[in-house]
Amino acid sequence: MSAPQRWVLLRGLAREAGHWGRFPDRLRAALGAGHEVRALDLPGNGTRHAQASARTVAGLVAACREVLAAQQGQGSVRLVALSLGAMVALEWACTAAPGELAGCALINTSLGGHSPAWRRLRPATALRLAWACRRGGDVQQREQRVLKATSGDPARHAGLSREWAAIAAARPVRAANVLRQLLAAARYRVPARAPEVPLLVLCSQGDRLVSPQCSHVLAQSWGLPLHVHPWAGHDLTLDDPDWVARQLANWAADPCA
């Protein structure tokens, strides 16, 4: 049984805490008593949608650190981060003070300098998403297209586009903040060496937005443990939250597994 820890969840581009869905509860159940699971919103998203998002990953890290420092909690911190959130987690790990982080799980991410642009964001899916997110479009239809692009089996999630549309209506993400976050992701480059923090890489074989090869290259370059889901899409914690929760619980018990 691993010692109780604080697990901090970070989403990706223009997504917020509400988009984690059932995953936080599944992770709590897999970890057992004593562990705390909370989600942080990047500036420009979710509860922070009125704020201007940073134009750099380092700026996003600083904003997340500030919020976490203001929140009460006990135990060491593990970051669980998806896509752009995983870039934030990696930069956080590279600049962390000794003992600040107990580990980072990087899900379906990509890094400039390790993978070419066409693998980091697959052009065909990116164009479909850009069209879906055009101004004036129906919000539920937009979210349905996002679901089709990010899930390996959208039929499993009937009605989810309505929930996502309600999130968008309550906490809309400004186009300027989407552009700032895209700029931050595009600018970010892989660190020269792996940080002195335990890292785990998870990826989805069915990811149509970011090539799973990006995760393979990262894991191979730094000798990191890698676990691949056979069919899930980019939003791995949506498609199979129990699988991710099991991987994280096993990793907490044995960081080298």
Side-chain angles (χ1 to χ4, degrees), residues 231-247:
W231 60 263
H234 186 68
D235 198 342
L236 175 53
T237 56
L238 167 68
D239 278 342
D240 201 340
D242 290 323
W243 183 89
V244 179
R246 286 195 301 272
Q247 304 305 319

Side-chain angles (χ1 to χ4, degrees), residues 55-175:
R55 293 182 174 87
T56 65
V57 169
L60 295 172
V61 172
C64 290
R65 265 194 174 120
E66 182 179 357
V67 171
L68 188 62
Q71 297 178 350
Q72 293 182 345
Q74 295 182 344
S76 55
V77 173
R78 285 184 188 251
L79 303 178
V80 179
L82 172 66
S83 199
L84 170 60
M87 299 180 207
V88 174
L90 184 56
E91 179 65 16
W92 194 334
C94 288
T95 57
E100 182 179 356
L101 297 178
C104 299
L106 312 175
I107 305 173
N108 286 333
T109 194
S110 66
L111 298 172
H114 265 186
S115 300
W118 57 270
R119 281 184 176 164
R120 297 190 66 202
L121 187 61
R122 288 180 162 177
T125 304
L127 286 173
R128 286 195 294 271
L129 282 177
W131 175 252
C133 295
R134 70 195 187 281
R135 293 187 64 182
D138 180 87
V139 175
Q140 187 172 333
Q141 289 183 3
R142 180 192 73 194
E143 294 298 333
Q144 184 63 34
R145 291 188 177 99
V146 172
L147 177 61
K148 288 181 179 178
T150 56
S151 172
D153 188 1
R156 293 164 62 97
H157 310 296
L160 185 59
S161 62
R162 289 193 297 273
E163 295 179 24
W164 286 359
I167 289 173
R171 297 175 292 278
V173 179
R174 297 193 304 238

Side-chain angles (χ1 to χ4, degrees), residues 202-223:
L202 303 178
C203 77
S204 307
Q205 193 60 38
D207 192 341
R208 296 189 298 275
L209 187 61
V210 174
S211 171
Q213 187 65 23
C214 296
S215 291
H216 285 267
V217 170
L218 174 61
Q220 290 168 3
S221 297
W222 286 350

